[in-house]
Amino acid sequence: MKRQDEKLKIAGFRVIYGPSTIGRIYQEVGEKISEPAIELKYSQPPAQGMPLPSPDWIEFAKREADAVFFGFPSEFKALYELFESLSKELTKPVVPVIPEVASIGNLPPNKIKRAIDYHLYGGRRNIEQFFLWLGELTGKLDAGISHPPQKIPWAGIYHPRSESIWTGLEEYFTWYGKRRPLIGLLFPRLFWIEDNLASFNAVIEEIEKRGGGVIPVFSDGWFGQTKNDDVIRKFFMRNKSPVIDVLISYSAFFLKPHHQVSIAIDQEPPDVLKELDVPVLKMIQTAAQTEEEWRENPEGLNLPQVIISITLPEFDGLIEPILVGTPEDKSDFSPLKPIPEQVKYLVDRVFKWIELKRKPNSEKRVAFVLLNSPCKSVEATVGTAFGLDSLESLARILQKMKKAGYRLEWVPKNGKELIEEIMTKKALPDFRWTTIEEIV
């Protein structure tokens, strides 16, 4: 028998894009295991600049650690060279935990696959078994004590009031019952697997408090093990029709795949959001900004967060970006917390969209805003849109709205007639010679 009271020393290093708090899971699991006691030195610098491990970490990995594990995006060449060197230099296990760096470990391929699978499926149980398995590799534990990686669904329905995970709508409705209105909530599996769900739970609670129902779905579609298109069709649609009135989607990067190639040049790839045909609102959680930093910043979200959470998702047609959660503090691996008034505001907007959907078209009021540079070539810049004929587009939209039952007193035949009407009525942001009374 191996001595299970002997300490197992582990050096871990990872660089991860996105809001992962896996370091918190490593630490909590390491503290939970008592046989053998684990001493973990884990480093997870931000994925920016040159995220190298500290000299102290490297010294621990070389001199004291019984095993080393690592993972990082392959574009960090300096890290690749460092860990390739460690794998050759050290006789202890040097273990890659993500596929991108699988080629530079010093274990046989079947063991590297096992290490990767522990992390690919994720969760506390798999991380616990991974640490025990490292104990076996180092000789600190007898072989066979650890369990193989546990397969966990890539997508499913979660609810904070149940420990169950549902992989089909019918079984979920059997437990949940039928409620209306019904709102979909789609978020990355990462938050579920790392038990970082406070903001999502707050949204669910607020919707249900107002009498609505929720289908909360986690998906690995942002990270490649499944497709969000398939997840949306499976959990939010039946017989090609939506079962929800509105979808709230976690907002980061793209929701839909952007690498599809059409079979024919004139054939568009299928668009799952057009099939779903409901408003899709953007739920934002900051990766690093705390609530205090967000409130104190005159610009609100920082630039990287704006690009990731607002700009890119808009290409998919997501609307109304609303911040609902931030890290609790500036500590490493801080879990996210909801901002109560922002959660209420998001749910307010959800119910307003549902109310708008039920209103007859003849009672809806719609405003179109055309780009126009005020007081500078003002007549020449009405409807400026690079590469697009915005005036003709608007004329056609108004014609379709008329047919759809919207109340319009006048509809232009084409873009030329529209611009002539704008010029005749002086509907321009030019206050040098034109009074507001004349424009109105």
Side-chain angles (χ1 to χ4, degrees), residues 134-153:
L134 289 181
E136 294 177 21
L137 293 180
T138 62
K140 294 289 179 76
L141 287 175
D142 289 320
I145 288 179
S146 67
H147 297 289
Q150 179 186 27
K151 293 184 178 181
I152 301 174

Side-chain angles (χ1 to χ4, degrees), residues 66-285:
D66 299 299
V68 178
F69 72 87
F70 65 94
F72 50 83
S74 56
E75 59 263 31
F76 291 106
K77 302 301 181 185
L79 287 176
Y80 196 96
E81 293 171 2
L82 170 64
F83 281 91
E84 185 176 39
S85 174
L86 288 176
S87 298
K88 294 175 180 177
E89 174 187 344
L90 302 178
T91 57
K92 66 188 70 176
V94 180
V95 187
V97 296
I98 61 171
E100 290 90 331
V101 291
S103 62
I104 54 174
N106 62 5
L107 296 178
N110 63 321
K111 291 186 177 179
I112 289 178
K113 182 180 183 305
R114 179 166 176 166
I116 291 172
D117 284 348
Y118 278 124
H119 287 79
L120 202 58
Y121 291 114
R124 291 176 184 273
R125 181 186 183 279
N126 276 329
I127 297 303
E128 179 180 353
Q129 297 306 311
F130 171 67
F131 282 168
L132 295 177
W133 178 67
L134 289 181
E136 294 177 21
L137 293 180
T138 62
K140 294 289 179 76
L141 287 175
D142 289 320
I145 288 179
S146 67
H147 297 289
Q150 179 186 27
K151 293 184 178 181
I152 301 174
W154 300 119
I157 301 176
Y158 152 86
H159 198 283
R161 293 200 307 273
S162 174
E163 294 184 359
S164 298
I165 295 299
W166 297 271
T167 55
L169 266 180
E170 292 303 327
E171 55 197 63
Y172 175 67
F173 285 144
T174 298
W175 174 83
Y176 191 63
K178 300 292 177 68
R179 307 187 189 193
R180 281 292 177 185
L182 192 57
I183 293 109
L185 175 61
L186 182 65
F187 59 93
R189 178 180 181 269
L190 174 76
F191 291 102
W192 170 68
I193 211 72
E194 294 183 0
D195 193 22
N196 195 8
L197 294 161
S199 297
F200 303 105
N201 292 345
V203 171
I204 295 167
E205 181 181 350
E206 185 65 27
I207 291 171
E208 292 180 341
K209 189 190 300 181
R210 303 189 192 194
V214 193
I215 306 176
V217 175
F218 63 83
S219 166
D220 201 61
W222 282 269
F223 302 101
Q225 296 303 318
T226 187
K227 292 181 180 179
N228 281 331
D229 291 38
D230 297 335
V231 173
I232 289 170
R233 292 186 182 100
K234 179 176 181 179
F235 293 107
F236 301 129
M237 301 179 72
R238 267 191 191 148
N239 302 318
K240 299 183 178 181
S241 296
V243 298
I244 56 174
D245 299 287
V246 173
L247 175 61
I248 301 170
S249 174
Y250 172 79
S251 187
F253 299 102
F254 295 111
L255 175 63
K256 302 180 297 183
H258 281 252
H259 56 271
Q260 301 181 51
V261 178
S262 300
I263 298 174
I265 294 176
D266 59 348
Q267 179 182 342
E268 290 187 11
D271 188 328
V272 69
L273 296 188
K274 286 184 179 179
E275 297 171 25
L276 185 64
D277 196 26
V278 301
V280 185
L281 277 64
K282 293 187 279 192
M283 171 183 173
I284 297 175
Q285 301 194 98

